[in-house]
Amino acid sequence: MATIDLIVLGILKKEPLGAYDIQKLVEYRNISKWVKISTPSIYKKVIQLEEKGLIKSHIEKEGKMPEKAVYTLTDRGEKEFERLMLEISEKSVNIYLDFNAVVVNLDSLPPQEQKTCITNIESNIKELNAHLAQNIAEKQNRPDIPETAKAVMYQQFLLLQALEKWIASVKESL
């Protein structure tokens, strides 16, 4: 998947890391909240990217810690990173919200179950919004967090605010 490739290549463009460190960075930056990426997919992707010659590994050992493979971009990886940046930025913007599959089928449920589904979605939106607001508060003044990452967090915050307004209007119409 090109998006996962771009995430991994982009992280490695900034610094050499092991797969575990990449995965932890993805978690820390909450990347999985706005891009479909999972821990197992990161490990698989690192292996695939190395097999393609886009990254290379070397073994490091720190103190009494076990050896680990640390990955860096190759020249081919640098070119692939740039190609993916242009390719993905040229694509039309799609916003996939899985809960829309529930919304379009609400009329197939009795009214009380419709309200339950909408309340569940609303609760999840509010929970994510609270988590994101806390994350923004913790990271907004941190110089080690790239401004581009902060911009994505703010984008997600605005999107969630819009979804909260939208879900309120859906509740009113039921």
Side-chain angles (χ1 to χ4, degrees):
M1 179 177 202
T3 305
I4 297 172
D5 291 4
L6 183 56
I7 294 293
V8 173
L9 292 173
I11 288 171
L12 292 176
K13 184 165 177 55
K14 293 180 179 156
E15 64 180 313
L17 292 170
Y20 176 79
D21 299 316
I22 294 168
Q23 180 259 323
K24 284 298 178 193
L25 196 53
V26 166
E27 281 179 22
Y28 175 71
R29 292 187 180 165
N30 291 307
I31 293 171
S32 61
K33 297 279 187 200
W34 39 271
V35 175
K36 287 194 179 207
I37 188 170
S38 66
T39 299
S41 66
I42 293 170
Y43 287 94
K44 290 177 191 172
K45 187 52 65 182
V46 167
I47 291 166
Q48 290 172 353
L49 293 172
E50 187 170 31
E51 288 172 353
K52 290 179 181 177
L54 301 176
I55 62 175
K56 63 182 176 186
S57 66
H58 66 276
I59 303 299
E60 284 187 4
K61 182 165 175 54
E62 293 181 21
K64 295 183 179 185
M65 299 295 291
E67 291 181 341
K68 70 176 183 178
V70 174
Y71 298 92
T72 55
L73 284 183
T74 62
D75 289 341
R76 282 184 57 209
E78 290 271 352
K79 288 180 179 119
E80 180 65 2
F81 170 79
E82 291 174 13
R83 187 191 72 73
L84 287 172
M85 287 289 287
L86 292 171
E87 177 186 295
I88 292 172
S89 69
E90 290 172 347
K91 288 183 179 179
S92 64
V93 174
N94 295 306
I95 299 174
Y96 298 108
L97 303 170
D98 293 341
F99 61 78
N100 279 334
V102 173
V103 174
V104 298
N105 288 299
L106 280 175
D107 58 357
S108 298
L109 291 175
Q112 189 53 45
E113 289 182 28
Q114 290 179 19
K115 289 178 182 175
T116 298
C117 288
I118 290 299
T119 300
N120 290 342
I121 294 168
E122 179 182 43
S123 175
N124 287 323
I125 289 170
K126 286 183 178 188
E127 181 181 323
L128 183 56
N129 201 4
H131 172 75
L132 190 56
Q134 178 184 351
N135 199 21
I136 289 170
E138 290 171 358
K139 296 177 181 170
Q140 68 184 350
N141 295 320
R142 300 257 320 262
D144 60 321
I145 306 293
E147 289 301 316
T148 51
K150 292 176 189 175
V152 171
M153 285 192 296
Y154 186 63
Q155 170 213 65
Q156 296 297 298
F157 181 73
L158 291 176
L159 178 59
L160 288 169
Q161 286 181 325
L163 287 173
E164 283 184 336
K165 289 178 186 175
W166 167 80
I167 200 77
S169 70
V170 171
K171 282 179 76 172
E172 286 177 18
S173 69
L174 294 179

